[in-house]
Amino acid sequence: MVKEIKLVQNVLKANERVSEQNRNIFAENQLLAINIIGSPGAGKTTLLERIIQNIVERKAIAVIEGDIYTTRDAQRIEACGVDVVQINTGGGCHLDAPMVQEALTNLDLDELDLLIIENVGNLVCPAAYNLGEDFKMVVMSITEGDDKPEKYPRIFQEAKVLVVTKVDLLKYNQFDMDRFLAEVRGINPGIKVFQISNLTGDGIKELVGWLEEQRNYKREEQICSV
Ligand code: MG
Ligand code: ZN
């Protein structure tokens, strides 16, 4: 029993080490890296398509797609005109830092300034594995229910930004947005929140504007420290 716990700790420790290496790689290349985490069906890939379609400088973006099986999501993202690397975990329910490091060897990092990593659809363990990203983005749809933050607190704690999707369905669901946001802020008072609809496009411009700001901060940070 005790040994098993130690094993998990060692795995996480090893992951932390590699995630620090990834962080340095991102810094050297002045690359903003975002780790998107959410349940299957939350709308992560569709959100990614909307972000790419609305972002001004599309050329310098690449995406790493994490999936258990298939390249379905990667094909959708590739159709948006950006570089994509697919990681198939072959049963694994999260991405880890070594997988991402391996994927990076397939990208021309010099040319990039925004890397978006779509994690395996899962609200639980991806929150425990840092990939070296600048921040985590949690994506949750209103159809998942307003009681989720306290049931899955870790990801709401770890994320810098929360994107609430499918708000066009609010009128058909018993989802109490005020209750939900109060619970989220009880866990993470500073979290940035966007309410969006991939279907109608509501809220996408605001989110993309914020992402562009983060991208610029990262560039300026690098310029100042040189
Ligand atoms: Mg997806
Ligand atoms: Zn997992």
Side-chain angles (χ1 to χ4, degrees):
M1 185 70 180
V2 173
K3 257 185 188 159
E4 212 176 319
I5 292 165
K6 208 168 179 183
L7 180 64
V8 172
Q9 282 174 343
N10 285 341
V11 167
L12 285 172
K13 242 190 199 160
N15 185 74
E16 268 321 286
R17 254 196 322 271
V18 180
S19 81
E20 277 310 311
Q21 294 168 1
N22 291 352
R23 193 179 302 282
N24 290 335
I25 294 171
F26 298 145
E28 281 161 17
N29 289 279
Q30 304 181 324
L31 186 60
L32 180 78
I34 305 172
N35 181 4
I36 299 187
I37 297 173
S39 297
K44 297 183 295 302
T45 310
T46 311
L47 176 64
L48 206 40
E49 288 174 323
R50 296 287 170 273
I51 290 171
I52 294 165
Q53 286 156 358
N54 283 278
I55 220 153
V56 187
E57 296 169 69
R58 207 176 308 174
K59 263 189 156 168
I61 306 174
V63 172
I64 294 177
E65 275 293 335
D67 278 291
I68 299 178
Y69 306 108
T70 84
T71 56
R72 281 180 191 171
D73 288 357
Q75 285 166 1
R76 286 171 58 190
I77 297 304
E78 194 166 41
C80 298
V82 300
D83 275 351
V84 189
V85 181
Q86 175 76 58
I87 299 173
N88 279 137
T89 60
C93 48
H94 58 265
L95 293 180
D96 64 24
M99 291 176 198
V100 169
Q101 193 163 87
E102 169 80 29
L104 292 178
T105 62
N106 295 286
L107 290 169
D108 194 355
L109 298 177
D110 254 10
E111 304 295 314
L112 302 176
D113 64 16
L114 179 60
L115 175 69
I116 307 179
I117 304 166
E118 183 183 339
N119 219 307
V120 177
N122 179 351
L123 209 53
V124 188
C125 48
Y129 288 82
N130 287 319
L131 307 176
E133 71 275 358
D134 288 273
F135 59 84
K136 295 180 179 67
M137 173 191 286
V138 55
V139 178
M140 208 198 98
S141 63
I142 63 117
T143 54
E144 292 169 59
D146 55 22
D147 61 339
K148 294 303 174 289
E150 283 186 2
K151 292 179 79 173
Y152 304 94
R154 175 105 191 236
I155 184 55
F156 292 92
Q157 237 159 39
E158 297 267 338
K160 179 175 184 172
V161 57
L162 161 65
V163 180
V164 187
T165 60
K166 308 189 190 180
V167 296
D168 51 291
L169 296 177
L170 274 170
K171 52 185 177 290
Y172 307 110
N173 282 266
Q174 289 189 316
F175 184 95
D176 185 337
M177 188 65 81
D178 290 338
R179 176 207 147 140
F180 172 74
L181 292 178
E183 208 168 287
V184 168
R185 297 221 157 90
I187 295 167
N188 181 350
I191 197 166
K192 182 90 186 159
V193 180
F194 293 93
Q195 299 181 32
I196 66 117
S197 165
N198 284 322
L199 195 66
T200 65
D202 281 351
I204 298 286
K205 287 248 147 64
E206 290 78 4
L207 170 62
V208 167
W210 183 82
L211 288 174
E212 295 274 25
E213 259 175 45
Q214 306 305 308
R215 191 187 201 179
N216 288 335
Y217 290 150
K218 178 92 181 197
R219 281 178 184 154
E220 282 159 22
E221 207 176 84
Q222 293 307 320
I223 291 161
C224 292
S225 65
V226 165

Coordinates of all heavy atoms in Angstrom, one line a residue, residues 39-41 43-46 48 65-67 73 76 118-119 121, ligand 1:
S39 N -13.7 17.6 -19.9 CA -14.4 16.3 -20.1 C -14.6 16.0 -21.6 O -14.6 17.0 -22.4 CB -15.7 16.2 -19.4 OG -15.6 16.4 -18.1
P40 N -14.7 14.8 -22.0 CA -15.1 14.5 -23.3 C -16.5 15.1 -23.6 O -17.4 15.1 -22.8 CB -15.3 12.9 -23.4 CG -14.6 12.4 -22.2 CD -14.6 13.5 -21.1
G41 N -16.5 15.8 -24.8 CA -17.8 16.4 -25.2 C -18.0 17.8 -24.6 O -19.0 18.4 -24.9
G43 N -16.5 20.4 -25.6 CA -16.4 21.3 -26.8 C -15.0 21.9 -26.9 O -14.8 22.9 -27.5
K44 N -13.9 21.1 -26.5 CA -12.6 21.6 -26.5 C -12.1 21.8 -28.0 O -11.5 22.8 -28.3 CB -11.6 20.6 -25.8 CG -11.9 20.4 -24.3 CD -10.9 19.5 -23.7 CE -10.9 18.1 -24.2 NZ -12.3 17.4 -24.0
T45 N -12.3 20.8 -28.8 CA -11.8 20.9 -30.2 C -12.5 21.9 -31.0 O -11.9 22.7 -31.7 CB -11.9 19.5 -30.9 OG1 -11.3 18.5 -30.0 CG2 -11.1 19.5 -32.2
T46 N -13.8 22.0 -30.8 CA -14.6 23.0 -31.5 C -14.2 24.4 -31.0 O -14.0 25.3 -31.9 CB -16.1 22.8 -31.3 OG1 -16.4 21.5 -31.5 CG2 -16.9 23.7 -32.2
L48 N -11.2 25.2 -30.0 CA -9.9 25.4 -30.6 C -10.1 25.8 -32.1 O -9.4 26.7 -32.5 CB -9.2 24.0 -30.5 CG -7.7 24.0 -30.5 CD1 -7.1 25.1 -29.7 CD2 -7.2 22.6 -30.0
E65 N -2.4 17.6 -30.1 CA -3.7 16.9 -29.8 C -3.4 15.7 -29.0 O -2.7 14.8 -29.5 CB -4.4 16.6 -31.1 CG -5.2 17.7 -31.7 CD -6.4 18.1 -30.9 OE1 -6.9 17.2 -30.1 OE2 -6.8 19.2 -31.0
G66 N -4.0 15.6 -27.8 CA -3.9 14.4 -27.0 C -5.2 13.6 -27.1 O -6.2 14.1 -26.9
D67 N -5.1 12.4 -27.6 CA -6.2 11.5 -27.6 C -5.8 10.1 -27.2 O -4.7 9.7 -27.4 CB -6.8 11.5 -29.0 CG -7.7 12.7 -29.3 OD1 -8.8 12.7 -28.7 OD2 -7.3 13.5 -30.1
D73 N -9.5 14.5 -34.1 CA -9.4 15.9 -33.7 C -8.3 16.6 -34.4 O -8.4 17.7 -34.9 CB -9.2 16.1 -32.2 CG -10.5 15.7 -31.4 OD1 -11.5 15.4 -32.0 OD2 -10.4 15.7 -30.1
R76 N -9.2 17.7 -37.8 CA -10.1 18.9 -37.8 C -9.2 20.1 -37.6 O -9.5 21.2 -38.3 CB -11.1 18.8 -36.7 CG -12.2 17.8 -36.9 CD -13.1 17.6 -35.7 NE -13.7 18.8 -35.2 CZ -14.3 18.9 -34.0 NH1 -14.4 17.9 -33.3 NH2 -14.8 20.1 -33.6
E118 N -4.2 20.3 -26.5 CA -5.5 19.8 -26.1 C -5.3 18.5 -25.4 O -4.9 17.5 -26.0 CB -6.5 19.6 -27.3 CG -7.9 19.1 -26.8 CD -8.9 18.8 -27.9 OE1 -8.7 19.3 -29.0 OE2 -9.8 18.1 -27.6
N119 N -5.5 18.4 -24.1 CA -5.3 17.2 -23.3 C -6.3 16.2 -23.6 O -7.4 16.4 -24.3 CB -5.3 17.6 -21.8 CG -4.2 16.8 -21.1 OD1 -4.2 15.6 -21.1 ND2 -3.4 17.6 -20.3
G121 N -9.5 14.0 -23.1 CA -10.8 14.4 -22.5 C -11.0 13.8 -21.1 O -11.2 12.6 -21.0
Ligands
MG1 MG -11.3 17.0 -28.7

